[in-house]
Amino acid sequence: MPSALPSDTHPADPVALRQIATRIGQQAEAVRRSAARLRLVAVTTPWRGAAATAFVNHACVLAARFERAAALLDDAATAMRWHAGAVEQLMGIAG
């Protein structure tokens, strides 16, 4: 698995850790936008009938799962920011 850190950074680099947190947060937003688009397509489809109902229900379940994944990504970004702060404290950087 490739590293999330650029090759010229140290794993205890608070700046790099915050950059990773930012990228994770951006991914959370992208997943959230995908969930919103999926839900919009589902609820505005002109398709009717039993198969359409099943599609809408399934799409809404998937959208909810996307939203949960986005929330977990937000949690990961928050944890990474917290970790960056802890690294700074341990390194004596923080005021």
Side-chain angles (χ1 to χ4, degrees), residues 5 19 23 36 40-41 44 47 49 56-57 61 68 82 88-89 93:
L5 292 173
Q19 289 171 345
R23 288 196 308 268
L40 179 65
V41 166
T44 61
W47 187 21
V56 170
N57 291 339
V61 167
R68 175 67 179 135
W82 181 90
E88 283 178 338
Q89 286 184 343
I93 297 172

Side-chain angles (χ1 to χ4, degrees), residues 40-79:
L40 179 65
V41 166
V43 299
T44 61
T45 184
W47 187 21
R48 298 290 177 247
T53 300
F55 165 75
V56 170
N57 291 339
H58 187 65
C60 288
V61 167
L62 287 177
R65 289 179 183 171
F66 283 10
E67 290 162 354
R68 175 67 179 135
L72 292 171
L73 286 166
D74 286 334
D75 291 347
T78 298

